[in-house]
Amino acid sequence: MPVIRQLSEAAVNRIAAGEVVERPASAVKELIENALDAGANRVDIAYADGGKTLIRVTDDGCGIPEDQLQLALARHATSKIDGSDLLNIHSFGFRGEALPSLGAVGRLSITSRSRGATAAAMITVNGGEMSQPRPAALGQGTVVELRDLFYATPARLKFLRSDRAEVQAIGDIVRRLAMAEPFVSFTLSDISKGGVGRVTFRSDAQTGDLFDALHGRLRQILGAEFAENALLIDATREGISLTGYAALPTYSRGAAVAQFLFVNGRPVRDKLLVGALRGAYADFLSRDRHPAVALFLECAPELVDVNVHPAKAEVRFRDPGMARGLIVSALRHALAEAGHRASTTVATATLGAFQPEPSGGAPIYQMDRQSGGNIIRPSSQAPGFAEIQAQYGRVEPDDPEQISVEQSHPLGAARAQLHENYIIAQTVDGIVIVDQHAAHERLVYERLKAQMEASGVRAQALLIPEIIEFSANDCARLLAVAPELTKLGLTLEPFGGSAVCIRETPAILGRINGENMLRDILDELDDQGETSLVSERLNAILSRVACHGSIRSGRRMQADEMNALLREMEATPSSGQCNHGRPTYVELKLSDIERLFGRT
Ligand code: ADP
Ligand code: MG
């Protein structure tokens, strides 16, 4: 017979901890939120070994009176609500679960001195066992230290990811909360053994009005480039307000890594809101580009339920359509007003892409028969038209003999170029339409891969090294992979704390926009996580790099150039799809075409 029994308090807390504390970053989040709820002006966060061995959060907030320390650690004990109205919540916390949960899965100590108290007191919990409060030394505020997270729940310990991934997640949480509270100072330090107590993030309290403060904070966290490209958003509709900054479409990212959304001051990742962002930018961005925003929705607490997710990362609006509508209309309006500004940026960038290269012209496709026929040479080394013609013969589209030769190739003989990007070729039994931009991208990628396998991608030194500003965090991430990037023909060096210097770029790409390329590489690093193999990581970065060399789109090509491209594609592995998985060409058999016209 099954026996029903009441679980012990310690077991209940461990079970609850599973929801609230998923990983070190969730513990960091709970502790910072407690500090902010306590009215702190500064919050200092330290961790060791990705937060697995130590997390310490120090604040100068109101503190916890000695006689309430034990209660603070009890389940469902909170000073933030009285339980009578769960729809009227103005603090980050309200569930009274974080501290008991942390105490159940790690070694927790709290030292605190409340305002007006003559001394500080300290209490500890180890795996659910609570000590009596005892005297301690502390000026004012609270220090919460969590050691050996999950030591009491070995199963959870096993599922933790690498220190690097945890550090990244902790950094992400700290930055999000720092955006939510621009008037509070934050520091984040890595105090792992062997380290030197490195401060990895610092943001001093901002001053001025809320918009100034937020702008200053976003500049520190997202970089000067974001701040300069950001539009101020300030709109209200039916009791909901939307404020913050949204970047021009030209400052978009390759992944949704710069979207920071807050509801009543609380960072959220909410599908509804992300969908609204997509809708707002739909006219301006292709689906694979993502807008960069930091936006704050504020409404009466009863219009939104924050109690739908244990870690409170999601919220539920009473009227979701209204929140969505406000975001879409406010952003569209701001973007339309900024249209001129945006379009000048785009125009400049586009003109830049069309500027002739110093060596006189875009890269020319060139098959290299000796090495197996899949080498594209950049224009500076390319043999030029004369040599291509020597290999393929001068192709006049109307030369019947030549066409029959070309036609016998799988991708056929080029007959026309449409809309400056689509090559129409005739094959023996059908037609082929090639997306020249996508094809070029793929060929550059394959060429880069071949170079890398052989001897490393050939680099070309820049006459004038390019210096690009990033946030300190992004700089550090780029420089951490600098040795890998060198193999890809991209040489970076530190340049002060918040800029990097590009010295060399892959020769095959010709002139590129270094900044855009580095941003894409950052996005790629975000997407990768830490699990992938080095070779896979390099290929993924190469693929992004290859996009920046794809200048073929929008360029009129001569028949012989087009044919050279087709032959190149035939000789190149997986040239049938671009680096984003889209096809580089489609083939229609005559029989298909006949069916289209109802001939068969
Ligand atoms: P909640 O935040 O949901 O109330 P917690 O378990 O996180 O629950 O905290 C329990 C209580 O302990 C809080 O309500 C608060 O009174 C007190 N507390 C926790 N951290 C701090 C802190 N850093 N400063 C002052 N009081 C704190
Ligand atoms: Mg809390």
Side-chain angles (χ1 to χ4, degrees), residues 30 34 80 93 98:
E30 294 296 336
N34 278 349
K80 299 171 193 176

Side-chain angles (χ1 to χ4, degrees), residues 14 105 149-160:
R14 277 208 299 276
V105 293
L149 182 60
F150 299 136
Y151 88 98
T153 48
R156 191 47 84 89
L157 199 55
K158 256 193 255 161
F159 284 101
L160 279 182

Side-chain angles (χ1 to χ4, degrees), residues 182 203-207 209-224 227 245:
S203 190
D204 296 330
Q206 302 292 305
T207 52
D209 71 12
L210 187 58
F211 279 107
D212 288 345
L214 178 61
H215 198 256
R217 172 94 358 138
L218 293 176
R219 174 182 292 274
Q220 286 178 332
I221 296 177
L222 298 175
Y245 289 90

